[in-house]
Amino acid sequence: MRGTMRSRVSPEQFRQTSLFPRGLSAATRAAEGTAAPRPEGGPAAPAAPPLPMPTPQRNLLPDEAPRIVTRPPTREELWSRAESLAWRLSAELGMPVRLSVTDNRSTMVSFRRGSTVLALRLHHMFLDAPEPVVRAVADYAGRGHRTAGAILDEYIRGQQPRIRQLRRESDADLNPRGRCFDLQALYDATNREFFQGLIQARIGWGRMPPRRRRKSIRLGVYDHQTREIRIHPALDSPEVPSFFVEFIIFHEMLHQLFPSTGRGGRRVHHPRAFRERERTFPHYAAALRWERENLGVLLRG
């Protein structure tokens, strides 16, 4: 880290070590009230009047620190910090850590713990996390210590300004019309029948993810900050019955009534009241059975 070296030599020492040791300059003599040298054989010259003090600048603190303009980190810098964090977590746990950094607005920490590797997804706020928080991530995701969740919750609360509050331009258009289903019509009917029209949210199809082999799929998501429901486009298919799409919409609407809570140092996304209300859906059992029997179709979609 570069710095500016400041001289610790006093003004008197500086004059003694000046590059011009024969005497002080005229301006210095005048400032100090020193008389000019007397010509040989002549009278002493009168002392020069003191120079006026410069007018102090207003609204300027003498020790005011310079303002630093920060720039967003480059991709290379983020990559380096993510690599460093993955190495710290791996050293802490004694096992490989496959780290993915996200800009998610709802899930800050998620993981899948295997026998030989930990697959971990973290919000980018954790790239600057202090050592106690990094250890809490290792305890929570790697060792299964749920009590460490309290430390993570506290850190996340303090980092709220870093969580993306506004939709990106690519998220601005939320289209409910699909090839097979009109989500807005299904949402309106579900809202009237089960919620007396009290749910206030926008709904639309999510973007189709890249074609690749998947082991899991998130069929719907509700964003508390923007009050948006997104349904996975794999459900926009003639192979999917309408009651199953309605059930997924019903499930996401429940998240507005029953937000996730913290309990015992961990985040509970589906509290008991949520599950009890979910079972009131008329086709609840049929929807779960269809999902279980057709999971392969959804993963391929």
Side-chain angles (χ1 to χ4, degrees):
M1 181 176 182
R2 293 185 177 179
T4 302
M5 182 174 295
R6 296 182 177 180
S7 172
R8 296 182 179 271
V9 180
S10 67
E12 182 61 32
Q13 290 172 323
F14 178 79
R15 284 196 289 270
Q16 293 173 0
T17 59
S18 170
L19 296 179
F20 305 93
R22 294 187 178 183
L24 306 181
S25 67
T28 305
R29 288 196 300 269
E32 296 184 356
T34 305
R38 179 173 56 184
E40 293 184 6
L51 295 177
M53 295 296 293
T55 304
Q57 300 182 32
R58 297 186 178 184
N59 302 325
L60 180 63
L61 297 177
D63 296 327
E64 184 178 10
R67 295 181 181 179
I68 300 176
V69 179
T70 59
R71 59 170 177 80
T74 64
R75 182 180 295 272
E76 290 74 17
E77 290 171 338
L78 290 175
W79 177 268
S80 176
R81 287 153 62 184
E83 188 177 31
S84 175
L85 178 58
W87 184 89
R88 291 161 63 191
L89 290 168
S90 179
E92 176 74 23
L93 294 171
M95 66 183 302
V97 174
R98 189 168 67 245
L99 177 64
S100 299
V101 179
T102 74
D103 191 25
N104 201 304
R105 289 175 291 182
S106 57
T107 304
M108 305 296 108
V109 181
S110 63
F111 61 90
R112 186 171 66 251
R113 192 166 51 239
S115 58
T116 59
V117 66
L118 173 66
L120 181 62
R121 292 174 61 86
L122 292 176
H123 190 276
H124 62 78
M125 69 172 69
F126 286 95
L127 294 179
D128 304 319
E131 196 62 34
V133 175
V134 174
R135 285 197 300 269
V137 172
D139 288 338
Y140 181 80
R143 301 186 179 100
H145 296 170
R146 297 300 181 182
T147 55
I151 300 176
L152 301 182
D153 286 342
E154 182 179 359
Y155 178 73
I156 292 169
R157 280 193 295 269
Q159 299 291 319
Q160 285 297 317
R162 302 180 65 175
I163 299 176
R164 179 165 48 93
Q165 300 293 326
L166 300 177
R167 296 193 301 273
R168 298 169 297 187
E169 290 185 6
S170 58
D171 293 340
D173 294 330
L174 197 61
N175 185 14
R177 296 295 297 270
R179 297 174 303 162
C180 301
F181 297 102
D182 184 345
L183 295 179
Q184 189 64 55
L186 295 176
Y187 167 88
D188 292 340
T190 303
N191 203 5
R192 287 192 304 268
E193 183 175 356
F194 301 104
F195 301 100
Q196 293 76 50
L198 297 178
I199 300 298
Q200 300 293 324
R202 300 172 65 238
I203 191 169
W205 294 104
R207 290 175 295 177
M208 180 63 73
R211 291 284 181 179
R212 61 184 180 184
R213 190 173 182 179
R214 294 191 298 263
K215 295 183 179 180
S216 63
I217 184 172
R218 195 172 188 181
L219 298 176
V221 61
Y222 172 70
D223 190 318
H224 285 278
Q225 293 181 345
T226 60
R227 293 193 173 189
E228 292 176 351
I229 296 173
R230 293 183 180 272
I231 304 300
H232 198 288
L235 298 185
D236 190 23
S237 168
E239 298 177 304
V240 180
S242 61
F243 72 83
F244 185 75
V245 180
E246 293 170 5
F247 171 68
I248 298 301
I249 295 173
F250 178 79
H251 176 100
E252 299 306 329
M253 295 171 77
L254 286 177
H255 278 294
Q256 191 171 110
L257 291 183
F258 306 100
S260 58
T261 59
R263 183 197 308 164
R266 63 189 182 95
R267 182 65 58 183
V268 179
H269 295 287
H270 302 104
R272 177 178 297 180
F274 182 105
R275 291 301 190 188
E276 291 176 351
R277 183 68 176 272
E278 185 182 41
R279 294 189 187 97
T280 65
F281 186 73
H283 305 290
Y284 174 77
L288 293 186
R289 183 171 58 253
W290 188 91
E291 179 180 13
R292 184 172 57 252
E293 294 174 352
N294 295 272
L295 181 58
V297 176
L298 297 176
L299 292 176
R300 289 194 301 271

